[in-house]
CSV table of all heavy atoms in Angstrom, one decimal:
chain,number,residue,atom,x,y,z
A,70,GLY,N,76.2,28.5,69.3
A,70,GLY,CA,74.8,29.0,69.6
A,70,GLY,C,74.4,30.1,68.6
A,70,GLY,O,73.2,30.1,68.3
A,80,LEU,N,77.2,27.1,51.4
A,80,LEU,CA,78.0,25.9,51.3
A,80,LEU,C,78.9,26.0,50.1
A,80,LEU,O,78.5,26.6,49.0
A,80,LEU,CB,77.0,24.7,51.1
A,80,LEU,CG,77.5,23.3,51.5
A,80,LEU,CD1,77.8,23.2,53.0
A,80,LEU,CD2,76.5,22.2,51.1
A,120,ASP,N,72.4,23.8,74.0
A,120,ASP,CA,73.7,24.0,74.7
A,120,ASP,C,74.7,24.6,73.7
A,120,ASP,O,75.9,24.7,74.1
A,120,ASP,CB,74.2,22.8,75.3
A,120,ASP,CG,74.4,21.6,74.3
A,120,ASP,OD1,74.2,21.8,73.1
A,120,ASP,OD2,74.8,20.5,74.8
A,144,ASP,N,85.3,49.1,50.0
A,144,ASP,CA,85.1,49.7,48.7
A,144,ASP,C,86.0,50.9,48.5
A,144,ASP,O,86.5,51.1,47.3
A,144,ASP,CB,83.6,50.2,48.7
A,144,ASP,CG,82.6,49.1,48.7
A,144,ASP,OD1,83.0,48.0,48.2
A,144,ASP,OD2,81.5,49.3,49.0
A,157,ALA,N,80.4,38.7,68.7
A,157,ALA,CA,80.5,37.3,69.0
A,157,ALA,C,80.6,37.0,70.5
A,157,ALA,O,81.4,37.7,71.2
A,157,ALA,CB,81.7,36.6,68.3
A,210,LEU,N,70.1,23.5,35.5
A,210,LEU,CA,69.3,23.9,36.6
A,210,LEU,C,67.9,24.2,36.2
A,210,LEU,O,67.6,24.7,35.2
A,210,LEU,CB,69.9,25.2,37.3
A,210,LEU,CG,71.3,25.0,38.0
A,210,LEU,CD1,71.8,26.3,38.4
A,210,LEU,CD2,71.2,24.0,39.2
A,219,PRO,N,50.7,15.7,54.4
A,219,PRO,CA,50.2,15.3,55.8
A,219,PRO,C,49.1,14.3,55.8
A,219,PRO,O,48.5,14.0,54.7
A,219,PRO,CB,49.7,16.7,56.3
A,219,PRO,CG,49.2,17.4,55.1
A,219,PRO,CD,50.1,17.0,54.0
A,248,THR,N,77.4,13.0,25.1
A,248,THR,CA,78.4,12.2,25.8
A,248,THR,C,79.6,13.0,26.1
A,248,THR,O,80.2,12.8,27.2
A,248,THR,CB,78.8,11.0,24.9
A,248,THR,OG1,77.6,10.2,24.6
A,248,THR,CG2,79.8,10.1,25.6
Side-chain angles (χ1 to χ4, degrees):
L80 204 64
D120 62 3
D144 293 337
L210 293 172
T248 301

